[in-house]
Structure formats: C-alpha cells, structure tokens
Amino acid sequence: MQYIGVSCACDGTADQYAVKRSYLDAVRRCGGCPVLLTQLTPPESLPHLVAGLDGLLVPGGIDVSPLLYGQEPIQAVTFTQEAQDRFELALIREAVAQGKPILAVCRGAQLVNVALGGTLYQDIHEQAGATICHRQDSRIPSECTHTISTVPGTLFERLMNGQTAVNSFHHQAIRDLAPGLVAAAWSADGILEAFESPTRPILGVQFHPELLLDAAPGFLALFQQLVHWE
Ligand code: MN
C-alpha cells in the first residue's frame, strides 16, 4: 500500500481542518491510502512522519501570503493564513529533502514554488497581463475552459497524452520559477500552467485534475504518477 499525505486546510478560525474528497478519491482510485495532515502536526515530528509516506499531495486553496515570498499584499489579496502556509511549506521542504514524490495542485503548486525559492503573481490580471478567463464559474468544475501548450519532452507532456484543455480556478500564478524547476505547460496568454523537476519527483499543475476524473479519466495519469512514482 502506498501512503500519500494530503494536507488539510483550516477554516478562518483554525477550528476545523478539511480537504475536498475529490483529492482523496483520486488517491484511492490509484490504489493509494490517503493520510490527512494538519497544521497541528508538531514540527519536530515532520521528519519521522514524512519518512513513513510514499508521496505528498498538496491541494488547492486560498492565496499564499505574499510576505512569504518577500512582497506586500496588493488589494486583490484579501485573505491569507500564514500559519497554514508555514506548515505546508515545512511539509513540502521535508518531502523534497527526503526525495518523496510530490503532486501539487493550484495553491499547492504555488506553495511548492515558494518553498523552493520562487515567487508568485499576486493577481494575474493586474500583474501578468492575463487576457483569458482563469477563474471559471464553479457550477460545472469538470468543464475544461481553456487550452494549454505542453512543453515537448517533459514528463507532464507524456502524462497528458494529448489532452490540451483544462479547467481553471485561479487568479494567481507562478512568476519566477524556483531553481531546479522547469516549465511544463503554458496557457495561451502566457500563464504557467504546469511545472516539474528534471531531477526530482515533483509535479505542479495550476488546474484541478481531481475535478476532471469522471469527465476525462485520462487526468488520472497525474495521480498514478504520484502514487506509483518510479
Ligand atoms: Mn488557468
């Protein structure tokens, strides 16, 4: 059995912790056992805890605090939770240090980039000249609303297997990629939609494959890669 850590978000008061079931179902579909992790994990236990995991799934969620990548927040960033960010950053860094596979989605991908020294656009319309809709109506989350161009020769391109459209629920994106990461896909308006590491088992995607699995089962390949990374 492959044990895959999944970080839970906390509510605004840090009184409840939760993760969307779609992430856990995706791990189960690949034969993995999801292990829910919260920011109440004592920091000193992280090395031992991560050592027992076979991979880490970092889910989507709220904006990352710009303070953590050296910026003051612009007006478009109204809600952040630095304690939650710090927990997930520590978790990601421990997983990277131990060489554990990581699949990171949306906010999770942004966190991985920040954990490794990268920066973010706080708002892609204001700062990155985004011109297409990256924040679709959520009534049909499996609706693929914009295309992406995969970078030839990447692992991500192979896993996508010709799929060229994705869903989109973000107003932020990666600005400067962290050292050691490479671009794996771009949107038509130049927003980074996926990255990977050529040397480490790390994949990050800006879209939400966990919401596409019924409509487009091919996206399960991303989770298969996480659970069974060779
Ligand atoms: Mn997008």
Side-chain angles (χ1 to χ4, degrees):
M1 179 62 68
Q2 309 294 306
Y3 293 88
I4 305 299
V6 189
S7 48
C8 295
C10 62
D11 68 2
T13 63
D15 194 38
Q16 292 188 68
Y17 298 88
V19 61
K20 290 210 167 119
R21 179 175 172 155
S22 50
Y23 295 103
L24 311 179
D25 281 340
V27 170
R28 286 290 307 274
R29 282 195 203 197
C30 300
C33 171
V35 179
L36 275 60
L37 307 171
T38 75
Q39 66 168 264
L40 298 183
T41 305
E44 64 272 22
S45 71
L46 272 182
H48 183 73
L49 182 67
V50 170
L53 298 175
D54 299 291
L56 179 65
L57 176 55
V58 193
I62 64 171
D63 291 349
V64 180
S65 170
L67 300 178
L68 295 170
Y69 50 96
Q71 296 180 13
E72 292 294 324
I74 65 171
Q75 285 183 320
V77 177
T78 56
F79 185 68
T80 53
Q81 291 179 312
E82 193 177 336
Q84 174 68 20
D85 294 343
R86 289 193 181 281
F87 162 65
E88 291 188 273
L89 289 171
L91 182 61
I92 290 163
R93 289 183 180 127
E94 186 61 40
V96 170
Q98 295 192 26
K100 301 291 183 179
I102 297 175
L103 175 63
V105 173
C106 197
R107 160 190 161 84
Q110 296 165 6
L111 272 170
V112 166
N113 187 53
V114 170
L116 298 178
T119 63
L120 307 180
Y121 288 115
Q122 293 188 42
D123 185 84
I124 55 176
H125 299 284
E126 199 171 319
Q127 300 181 322
T131 54
I132 66 173
C133 177
H134 288 276
R135 213 175 201 181
Q136 72 191 70
D137 186 293
S138 60
R139 274 176 290 182
I140 308 179
S142 64
E143 184 77 4
C144 288
T145 57
H146 74 69
T147 61
I148 58 174
S149 301
T150 53
V151 174
T154 56
L155 167 67
F156 178 75
E157 182 196 45
R158 180 160 62 78
L159 294 173
M160 286 292 281
N161 195 26
Q163 297 163 114
T164 56
V166 297
N167 55 4
S168 196
F169 301 96
H170 61 110
H171 81 110
Q172 298 195 324
I174 284 159
R175 184 172 203 150
D176 300 306
L177 257 181
L181 300 178
V182 297
W186 299 92
S187 63
D189 56 350
I191 300 299
L192 189 78
E193 289 279 342
F195 66 75
E196 62 190 58
S197 166
T199 55
R200 292 170 155 160
I202 299 173
L203 259 178
V205 296
Q206 189 56 69
F207 57 95
H208 285 267
E210 80 283 359
L211 300 175
L212 298 174
L213 300 179
D214 290 328
F219 284 98
L220 196 65
L222 296 167
F223 297 95
Q224 290 281 6
Q225 182 68 30
L226 169 67
V227 176
H228 303 285
W229 209 305
E230 296 299 335

